[in-house]
């Protein structure tokens, strides 16, 4: 069975609490169950992680290498905009990785328009809320068929 890691960065555990006008009222647990539910019976194993710490996110990416994970979906939160260490970690493992953002980072503050992690990814999806995660997983699943 193919395996995918979904990795969420800082403050995503605060969904439903933080800036609800931007991120909505649904909490983090409901995001996780929504994704798992979508791919139940799809013959794919999805593991979802969240950390507020850069080093922990890098450890999870490196574990994806050791555990021979087939794809990664990552929402690095604000680390998107400045973590060259996460960029390097994604590059290091050579696992197809899709970057996801709930909000449209290209229509917000200027600092959000820059992603230093996206160049290490095969695709960036933004502004589609939780559907962005579903799209990202589907993209990775399609790439297995090629
Ligand atoms: C985010 C966008 C980032 O700019 C922000 O720092 C986040 C969430 C998103 O999902 O829209 O924490 O990654």
């Amino acid at each position: 069975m193919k395996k995918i890691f979904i990795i969420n960065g800082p403050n995503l555990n605060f969904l439903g609490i933080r800036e609800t006008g931007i991120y909505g009222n649904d909490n983090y647990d409901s995001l996780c169950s929504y994704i798992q539910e979508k791919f139940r019976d799809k013959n794919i194993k999805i593991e979802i992680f969240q950390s507020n710490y850069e080093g922990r996110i890098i450890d999870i990416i490196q574990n994806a290498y050791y555990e021979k994970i087939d794809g990664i979906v990552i929402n690095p939160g604000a680390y998107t905009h400045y973590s060259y260490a996460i960029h390097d970690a994604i590059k290091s493992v050579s696992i197809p990785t899709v970057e996801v953002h709930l909000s449209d980072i290209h229509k917000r503050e200027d600092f959000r328009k820059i992603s230093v992690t996206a160049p290490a990814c095969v695709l960036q999806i933004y502004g589609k809320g939780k559907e962005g995660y579903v799209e990202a997983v589907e993209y990775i699943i399609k790439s297995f068929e090629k």
Side-chain angles (χ1 to χ4, degrees):
M1 194 191 281
K2 299 278 191 190
K3 288 180 277 180
I4 293 180
F5 272 7
I6 297 181
I7 306 169
N8 288 301
N11 300 307
L12 286 156
N13 56 321
F14 254 47
L15 287 178
I17 301 168
R18 70 183 296 208
E19 302 180 275
T20 51
I22 295 171
Y23 299 112
N25 292 307
D26 292 351
N27 67 19
Y28 182 69
D29 283 349
S30 74
L31 170 71
C32 297
S33 24
Y34 182 77
I35 300 165
Q36 292 289 13
E37 198 50 48
K38 279 274 170 186
F39 294 97
R40 204 174 301 285
D41 311 324
K42 290 279 193 301
N43 204 34
I44 185 127
K45 183 167 187 257
I46 296 175
E47 266 189 86
I48 307 179
F49 303 86
Q50 190 277 328
S51 178
N52 292 325
Y53 299 90
E54 187 178 30
R56 172 75 186 128
I57 293 167
I58 292 164
D59 287 346
I60 296 165
I61 295 169
Q62 292 183 355
N63 281 343
Y65 172 82
Y66 290 122
E67 291 184 30
K68 299 188 168 41
I69 296 305
D70 302 286
I72 296 173
V73 173
I74 188 164
N75 180 347
Y79 285 136
T80 303
H81 314 299
Y82 65 95
S83 177
Y84 296 105
I86 292 177
H87 169 115
D88 284 351
I90 297 168
K91 278 267 184 190
S92 301
V93 295
S94 302
I95 298 170
T97 301
V98 176
E99 179 173 302
V100 170
H101 299 284
L102 293 158
S103 66
D104 185 348
I105 53 171
H106 298 286
K107 289 206 178 122
R108 297 180 62 194
E109 301 96 318
D110 281 348
F111 76 87
R112 292 188 206 275
K113 295 184 177 129
I114 292 161
S115 170
V116 303
T117 47
C121 297
V122 293
L123 179 71
Q124 185 194 58
I125 296 172
Y126 52 88
K128 296 185 173 171
K130 59 189 178 183
E131 290 306 327
Y133 287 86
V134 174
E135 216 176 273
V137 172
E138 279 167 352
Y139 181 90
I140 291 171
I141 293 173
K142 278 215 182 77
S143 75
F144 298 151
E145 291 156 12
K146 282 177 195 153

